[in-house]
Amino acid sequence: MQRTERHASFGGWQEVWQHRSEVLSCDMKFGIYLPPAAVRGEACPVLYWLSGLTCNEQNFITKAGAQQYAAQHGLILVAPDTSPRGADVADDAAYDLGQGAGFYLNATQAPWAAHFRMEDYIVQELPALIQQHFAVTAAQSIFGHSMGGHGALTLALRHPGRYRSVSAFSPIVAPSQVPWGEKAFSAYLGEDRDQWAAHDACALIQSQLSERLPLLVDQGEADDFLANQLQPQRLQAACDAAGHPLTLRRHPGADHSYYFIASLIGEHIAHHAKALQG
């Protein structure tokens, strides 16, 4: 690994690291915030953030204002890129497919399958790397925004016992039923909708999972993507039908931007800290 950035922040360090990913067959970057407790040599829990379409490791670490809250609660924050990158990695001219749009799943279709294995990267390779190079406890949680909110929800639901808590801002809750997901799933997974359902939060909840990890979701009412792409009412209906615990909060005037995320990031980090340190 190679550290490419380091900035003092709230008594800790905001760093960016680059490494070779064997899972994705390319070089990857991730942001990591080390709170004062970690700087002192204490092992800390890890909270993973998954960003949305077009983003990389920079968006969250520069816009969310999360470092001060991670410092207060003694959490390590890890913010990976949203897809494999590189000249030899398959891509598409549109913003919602290819590089910057990995959808946190393992692609099975050419040309994507050669590199787009973001589920394995987030769930297995990256945590192993973090455990190898930083002083962390076994406790980990996950949250994200938009496509990353989809990723946080589905990875937590698909891997019971791995995460202590999960939350999301403006997530794509039913990707198999909205344009963003239909386009990505068709490309990455093919036309078998049973394969799509395995990466759809609403469908996963309806399948009566063994673990009922409580979901915390915040959604802005002035979000331009609310009606066409996000549709949180589908998640509410699925959770109500399955008896799955959900806290869905809707916020008048809030949009899809990091202004919304920054307004509530302290509450989300406190929510995860309670689970991680309890």
Side-chain angles (χ1 to χ4, degrees), residues 100-151:
F103 273 83
Y104 303 103
L105 52 76
N106 293 338
T108 60
Q109 304 298 303
W112 312 103
H115 295 279
F116 282 71
R117 302 188 61 82
M118 286 298 292
E119 179 171 9
D120 285 351
Y121 178 71
I122 297 297
V123 174
Q124 298 177 12
E125 186 180 34
L126 182 59
L129 199 68
I130 298 300
Q131 292 166 9
Q132 179 183 354
H133 292 278
F134 302 94
V136 300
T137 70
Q140 53 185 339
S141 292
I142 193 166
F143 65 155
H145 170 237
S146 193
M147 178 186 70
H150 143 76

Side-chain angles (χ1 to χ4, degrees), residues 170-250:
S170 315
I172 309 169
V173 301
S176 64
Q177 302 179 70
V178 300
W180 273 342
E182 290 175 331
K183 179 178 181 178
F185 285 7
S186 294
Y188 297 146
L189 301 174
E191 299 303 327
D192 183 355
R193 286 182 172 261
D194 288 340
Q195 297 297 318
W196 296 15
H199 301 279
D200 182 303
C202 289
L204 287 166
I205 288 167
Q206 291 167 350
S207 68
Q208 300 291 329
L209 300 162
S210 59
E211 180 186 53
R212 295 184 180 272
L213 190 65
L215 312 180
L216 170 62
V217 174
D218 280 297
Q219 175 63 60
E221 293 285 358
D223 192 316
D224 290 340
F225 305 110
L226 177 60
N228 195 38
Q229 304 283 11
L230 306 180
Q231 303 180 2
Q233 70 274 8
R234 292 184 182 272
L235 182 65
Q236 184 72 70
C239 287
D240 288 347
H244 196 105
L246 167 69
T247 300
L248 174 59
R249 307 187 298 188
R250 302 180 71 134

Side-chain angles (χ1 to χ4, degrees), residues 39-55:
V39 174
R40 294 193 298 268
E42 301 173 23
C44 297
V46 184
L47 178 54
Y48 289 89
W49 169 268
L50 305 183
S51 291
L53 289 166
T54 76
C55 294

Side-chain angles (χ1 to χ4, degrees), residues 1-3 17-19 30 129 133-134:
M1 292 216 306
Q2 178 184 2
R3 188 173 63 207
W17 289 79
Q18 180 172 302
H19 71 100
F30 64 86
L129 199 68
H133 292 278
F134 302 94

Side-chain angles (χ1 to χ4, degrees), residues 4-5 14 28 36 48 51 62 66-67 80 87 98-99 115-116 151 158 160 179 190 193 237 239 256 265:
T4 60
E5 293 185 34
Q14 177 62 62
M28 291 291 286
Y48 289 89
S51 291
T62 59
Q67 291 88 349
Q99 296 187 35
H115 295 279
F116 282 71
R158 283 172 56 79
R193 286 182 172 261
C239 287
H256 201 68
I265 195 68

